[in-house]
Amino acid sequence: MSLNNNAELTATSIRVQKLIEKIENGAIKIPEFQRGYVWKQQQVIELLESIVKNYPVGSILLWEAEKADKLKSSRHIAGIDLPDVPDKYPVQYCLDGQQRISTLFGVFWENAEPLNSSEYNPEQGVFEVYYDLENDLFVHGNELDKIDHNRYFYLRNLLSPVKQMSEFRKYLYDENYIDKITDLSNRFLNYDMPIIQISNRSIDEVGVIFERINNTGVKLNTMDLMTAWTWDDKFHLRDEINDLLEILETQSSFKLDSTLILQISSAIINNSTSSKSILSIKPEIFKDNWTSISGALKKCIDHLNSDLLCKSSKFLPYKQLLCGMSYFFHNCKKPDSKQIDALNSWFWITSFNRRYDGGNTTQKLEQDLHLMDNIISGDKVSKHEKLKITAEILMNSVFSIRSPLTRTVLLFQAQFSPLDLVTGRRIQIGNVLSKYNRSEFHHIFPDAYLRDNLNVKSKNERYSLLNFCFLPSSSNKRISAKAPSDYFINLVPKDKFQDILDSNLLPNKPSIYTGNQWLIFQRHRANLIINHVNTKIKNK
């Protein structure tokens, strides 16, 4: 193996604004062998929070390539159209830290012009972040029903004094809010990102460095740390958690992860789900509470199974629901009907509102714990939470079992004991919900009929969430590609027609089906589902 005696390794730092300027000028690129941008909204929020708190966020590894070593192909950071530097200037390729620098650039650069979408480029909405001046936290724009600029400050305007002053004049912030914005801006402007730069390395050497960073650089996660923290000769936390996870999967079809178990444990022990709270739990406390923690989670899953018909984690809208519900069953040993009604209403409101989409999950979980205390005390959940789902959201949603809203709607339909469209018999919903099988769900307006007869070209529209109901595969085959005007007249039993529609949450106007009124069907079904949800949670 030959060694390059001129190779250099330099450790330094760079201010956030200077980093953004270098990226803007095209001086930093992503090599093609890097993966694409994969961070979720919560990770974006956590990076911003860490910088504001002056926490270390890890170093950025850059390879400086001179003209002869420049890559023929590279990618733009954050999927944003950026210039290429002239040949005579070096380029720095990011070998480690792409997600962090892409996030900072995407959130703060004022003139973002995204490239055409590709598998490597992020959805630009992940970078639309505001600062809530009232609650002192970061929020994504898609979490806000309406953006009140007097309360939410847009981060793209934060690092520019000119933009800041323009916002101050436009929205007439009071002195307290101006101080908060100024302080926030200074925290980012003065934060030093650690940089490690390697120079005078060939592309072959760089490939080896990159491979070793990504294959042998094992990072400790919270579970690793807790295993070390709680270790003693009589209590092995990892073994206890793994045993519990295996029991839940084999006996209840709930496949969970160790991180969630730690959050539930910390919620019960410390009334908090933060990593700091988890890591503060002493071994003897964990050991003393483990039986009651695992018992509360089992009660929670039993309740989901029996009361809400959630027979498998595959149909659970959000795993985060288990945290608040386990806390409830731990602290309310014998809940009465009023408390159970409130808990179930919270489940539906939380799921339909898509509460855990986006960031600030830890804060939301801790708010859940406070709400559980109110429910245990006898409060109605409707006193604290309101349903936010709209017909437009439902109409624009695509059927996918990976979608929390799809799982929510399917589980809600199951509460009405759906009848088979063709036989009129009760569908064995427990069997369907214990193991996902795509053939057990039916297009109400068949896919081929929409495409060929109603000229609905978009597959997403044909696969609208509102266009599905439970149906055994045998009945599904009988309907096939028939028009609703055909099979609702010739296959749906006339003596059970109304009951079949009601049990499947289908509009009860026969003219919708006899007239093949696709758009009217979607609107009516969306409103029907929302009305049923409101009825189920009313005064509970």
Side-chain angles (χ1 to χ4, degrees):
M1 180 179 66
S2 62
L3 297 176
N4 185 344
N5 294 326
N6 295 319
E8 297 176 359
L9 187 68
T10 307
T12 183
S13 64
I14 187 171
R15 296 284 173 93
V16 169
Q17 188 167 31
K18 182 65 175 177
L19 176 66
I20 291 171
E21 289 173 1
K22 285 174 69 72
I23 296 171
E24 178 184 357
N25 294 331
I28 300 178
K29 298 288 188 184
I30 305 294
E32 283 289 354
F33 50 74
Q34 275 271 32
R35 63 178 177 169
Y37 187 87
V38 297
W39 270 16
K40 306 300 183 185
Q41 291 188 163
Q42 175 63 16
Q43 291 165 294
V44 171
I45 295 294
E46 288 172 353
L47 176 65
L48 299 175
E49 289 174 342
S50 294
I51 291 176
V52 167
K53 294 175 182 177
N54 205 31
Y55 291 169
V57 297
S59 59
I60 309 299
L61 180 61
L62 300 176
W63 166 47
E64 185 172 86
E66 300 293 339
K67 179 178 179 180
D69 291 321
K70 284 186 180 179
L71 302 177
K72 293 181 180 179
S73 179
S74 62
R75 296 203 313 277
H76 295 279
I77 289 173
I80 293 171
D81 193 12
L82 300 169
D84 292 319
V85 296
D87 283 345
K88 63 181 180 180
Y89 294 113
V91 171
Q92 292 177 316
Y93 296 100
C94 182
L95 301 183
D96 190 40
Q98 176 201 170
Q99 311 298 319
R100 281 164 281 159
I101 67 173
S102 296
T103 296
L104 291 173
F105 186 67
V107 167
F108 289 113
W109 194 42
E110 304 167 41
N111 307 304
E113 184 65 37
L115 295 161
N116 293 331
S117 61
S118 81
E119 63 179 301
Y120 297 106
N121 296 334
E123 166 58 46
Q124 292 297 313
V126 77
F127 301 133
E128 295 293 310
V129 183
Y130 294 78
Y131 190 72
D132 182 346
L133 295 163
E134 182 176 315
N135 293 319
D136 294 323
L137 52 84
F138 298 99
V139 291
H140 278 89
N142 59 16
E143 289 192 271
L144 304 173
D145 294 330
K146 181 180 180 181
I147 298 173
D148 177 2
H149 290 280
N150 293 107
R151 172 179 172 180
Y152 299 103
F153 192 88
Y154 192 34
L155 290 196
R156 289 201 197 281
N157 299 323
L158 184 67
L159 302 188
S160 165
V162 174
K163 289 286 185 71
Q164 271 193 44
M165 292 304 300
S166 174
E167 296 293 282
F168 292 165
R169 288 193 296 269
K170 186 186 298 184
Y171 299 111
L172 301 176
Y173 293 108
D174 64 31
E175 186 173 343
N176 178 45
Y177 278 8
I178 290 176
D179 288 343
K180 284 186 178 184
I181 294 166
T182 303
D183 178 64
L184 187 69
S185 176
N186 288 334
R187 288 175 184 269
F188 281 103
L189 288 171
N190 294 321
Y191 188 88
D192 283 322
M193 294 288 294
I195 299 289
I196 298 175
Q197 180 173 296
I198 56 176
S199 307
N200 298 319
R201 297 277 189 177
S202 68
I203 182 63
D204 293 335
E205 290 176 287
V206 169
V208 172
I209 292 170
F210 178 79
E211 184 178 29
R212 291 187 179 178
I213 288 170
N214 286 277
N215 286 341
T216 62
V218 180
K219 297 179 181 179
L220 292 176
N221 57 30
T222 305
M223 185 68 237
D224 296 323
L225 292 171
M226 282 307 300
T227 299
W229 269 210
T230 60
W231 180 269
D232 69 27
D233 291 337
K234 297 180 180 179
F235 184 75
H236 305 285
L237 179 63
R238 188 185 293 276
D239 291 345
E240 295 287 349
I241 288 181
N242 287 341
D243 288 346
L244 176 61
L245 293 176
E246 184 177 352
I247 289 171
L248 295 177
E249 184 172 2
T250 55
Q251 296 183 3
S252 305
S253 297
F254 270 72
K255 188 173 183 178
L256 307 177
D257 58 72
S258 59
T259 299
L260 178 64
I261 304 300
L262 291 176
Q263 289 174 320
I264 292 171
S265 301
S266 185
I268 289 172
I269 294 171
N270 284 336
N271 204 36
S272 172
T273 61
S274 69
S275 296
K276 180 180 179 180
S277 174
I278 294 170
L279 292 170
S280 73
I281 302 174
K282 297 184 183 303
E284 59 271 19
I285 301 297
F286 230 126
K287 181 180 176 181
D288 291 345
N289 286 275
W290 180 247
T291 299
S292 62
I293 291 168
S294 55
L297 177 55
K298 289 175 183 176
K299 281 185 180 179
C300 166
I301 291 176
D302 286 344
H303 178 77
L304 285 168
N305 190 307
S306 58
D307 269 44
L308 297 169
L309 303 180
C310 187
K311 307 292 184 179
S312 162
S313 57
K314 292 181 183 297
F315 285 89
L316 182 67
Y318 294 94
K319 67 177 184 180
Q320 290 91 340
L321 290 159
L322 296 174
C323 192
M325 296 181 78
S326 296
Y327 178 88
F328 172 89
F329 283 106
H330 182 272
N331 293 307
C332 189
K333 306 300 182 185
K334 295 182 178 180
D336 58 29
S337 59
K338 181 180 177 182
Q339 291 166 321
I340 291 295
D341 283 345
L343 180 69
N344 291 346
S345 295
W346 170 81
F347 175 91
W348 293 119
I349 293 171
T350 300
S351 299
F352 272 102
N353 285 355
R354 302 171 297 168
R355 173 169 170 76
Y356 307 110
D357 288 356
N360 302 315
T361 303
T362 299
Q363 183 187 25
K364 291 172 183 175
L365 288 175
E366 298 194 358
Q367 290 169 348
D368 291 345
L369 303 184
H370 180 66
L371 183 55
M372 290 301 121
D373 287 333
N374 290 329
I375 291 174
I376 292 169
S377 298
D379 274 4
K380 296 176 180 179
V381 75
S382 55
K383 175 182 175 182
H384 303 277
E385 297 288 333
K386 303 300 179 186
L387 190 67
K388 298 178 183 177
I389 190 72
T390 65
E392 284 68 29
I393 291 173
L394 288 175
M395 292 172 68
N396 290 322
S397 297
V398 178
F399 181 95
S400 169
I401 199 62
R402 294 187 297 273
S403 160
L405 189 54
T406 294
R407 298 194 293 270
T408 300
V409 170
L410 290 177
L411 201 57
F412 190 72
Q413 287 184 53
Q415 311 304 304
F416 295 83
S417 302
L419 302 176
D420 187 319
L421 293 181
V422 175
T423 68
R425 291 194 292 266
R426 189 84 58 203
I427 295 172
Q428 298 300 311
I429 208 71
N431 295 334
V432 179
L433 293 180
S434 62
K435 187 177 182 181
Y436 176 71
N437 184 341
R438 172 67 181 78
S439 66
E440 299 294 326
F441 302 96
H442 166 63
H443 281 85
I444 298 159
F445 278 66
D447 180 37
Y449 174 77
L450 285 173
R451 185 188 64 237
D452 300 336
N453 296 80
L454 296 187
N455 199 33
V456 179
K457 301 298 184 184
S458 168
K459 184 176 179 180
N460 281 352
E461 186 177 351
R462 300 197 304 272
Y463 276 72
S464 165
L465 172 56
L466 295 171
N467 195 29
F468 282 85
C469 69
F470 292 98
L471 193 70
S473 56
S474 56
S475 296
N476 210 338
K477 290 175 183 176
R478 290 188 62 187
I479 293 174
S480 186
K482 293 181 176 66
S485 58
D486 180 347
Y487 79 84
F488 269 88
I489 298 301
N490 298 314
L491 293 180
V492 178
K494 293 180 175 54
D495 60 332
K496 294 185 176 181
F497 191 86
Q498 197 60 51
D499 290 339
I500 289 172
L501 292 181
D502 292 343
S503 70
N504 285 284
L505 300 185
L506 295 175
N508 58 11
K509 290 187 176 182
S511 61
I512 290 176
Y513 310 104
T514 57
N516 299 316
Q517 296 176 332
W518 166 237
L519 296 178
I520 294 175
F521 165 78
Q522 291 181 82
R523 173 67 65 178
H524 278 241
R525 196 177 195 211
N527 289 326
L528 181 64
I529 289 173
I530 292 172
N531 289 340
H532 275 295
V533 179
N534 276 314
T535 299
K536 189 169 283 289
I537 66 176
K538 186 177 182 181
N539 294 324
K540 294 180 181 177

